[in-house]
Amino acid sequence: MIRVLIILATAGLLPASAAFSVGGPQANPQKSIDGVIDRRQSLAGIGASIFGAAVFSPSVARADVSEGNALPQGAAQFARVVRLQSDIKKVQKRVAEGADEMDKAEWANISQFLRQAYSTGEDMKAIAAGVYNPENKKRALNDIDQMKKFTQAADLSVNKKDGPGFVGIADKMEFLVSDFLDSLSDVPDEI
């Protein structure tokens, strides 16, 4: 009942003094002599309407996309896959050139990178869901499965601090990401 009274008061259909009084709208109607609502009641009703509109109106959606701080979901997923492709090359180069001089913290960072690479597989699955060509879709899903397996194998090499083993696996991971991105293309090779 109270909600109904508040809504009526905010819409201006019921004076605020009546809606918010202890006894409800029947308790103290306060009309002037000729039956018209006086100025105080109308101002209170307008004030309550403005307050109600501010409090009960739906809030404005705040999206980082409009502020330029974030990409839409699909674009963000694709960006993570492309970033994975370039990051694999960088990590592979670092391990190939200086695996002997890497400390425990750097190996731990590479292990963390592999966890992120594994979770990027979920982004790849979401992207692959939009592939319409059945052959390309099958190829993309196979690349994702292989990528996850190689990510786990690379983590074993990282735990052993086996630089050459990691580089070989990272090379295969890079190929799988490239092949995945290629499977997204539906443009024929003849063009």
Side-chain angles (χ1 to χ4, degrees), residues 60-142:
V60 177
R62 304 250 182 219
D64 289 335
V65 174
S66 64
E67 295 174 7
N69 296 336
L71 293 171
Q73 184 67 19
Q77 291 168 333
F78 186 76
R80 285 190 289 267
V81 173
V82 171
R83 185 177 38 217
L84 173 65
Q85 184 181 26
S86 67
D87 287 349
I88 288 174
K89 293 176 186 177
K90 293 175 188 174
V91 172
Q92 181 183 16
K93 181 180 177 185
R94 171 65 182 128
V95 173
E97 291 175 354
D100 298 334
E101 60 193 42
M102 291 173 54
D103 62 351
K104 188 175 182 178
E106 199 165 358
W107 283 109
N109 287 340
I110 293 174
S111 183
Q112 179 64 33
F113 165 74
L114 290 172
R115 285 188 205 99
Q116 288 175 344
Y118 187 89
S119 67
T120 304
E122 296 304 315
D123 292 330
M124 295 167 81
K125 280 184 182 178
I127 294 168
V131 176
Y132 296 111
N133 184 338
E135 284 181 25
N136 286 354
K137 189 170 195 167
K138 182 178 178 182
R139 190 172 105 197
L141 293 174
N142 186 40

Side-chain angles (χ1 to χ4, degrees), residues 2-18:
I2 293 175
R3 286 186 181 179
V4 172
L5 294 175
I6 292 172
I7 292 171
L8 290 174
T10 58
L13 300 174
L14 183 68
S17 60

Side-chain angles (χ1 to χ4, degrees), residues 14-47:
L14 183 68
S17 60
F20 297 114
S21 66
V22 177
Q26 299 84 8
N28 191 6
Q30 290 187 6
K31 293 186 179 181
S32 64
I33 297 174
D34 55 350
V36 180
I37 297 174
D38 66 359
R39 188 177 352 165
R40 229 180 308 167
Q41 285 182 320
S42 64
L43 288 176
I46 292 171

Side-chain angles (χ1 to χ4, degrees), residues 142-187:
N142 186 40
D143 287 341
I144 295 166
D145 291 338
Q146 292 298 315
M147 172 73 175
K148 287 186 171 189
K149 290 177 184 176
F150 280 121
T151 303
Q152 291 172 338
D155 197 38
L156 293 174
S157 293
V158 168
N159 290 336
K160 295 178 186 176
K161 296 177 178 47
D162 177 21
F166 174 81
V167 170
I169 295 170
D171 190 41
K172 293 174 185 174
M173 289 170 57
E174 181 186 350
F175 170 76
L176 289 170
V177 174
S178 295
D179 191 54
F180 171 79
L181 291 172
D182 188 46
S183 70
L184 300 179
S185 175
D186 58 353
V187 178

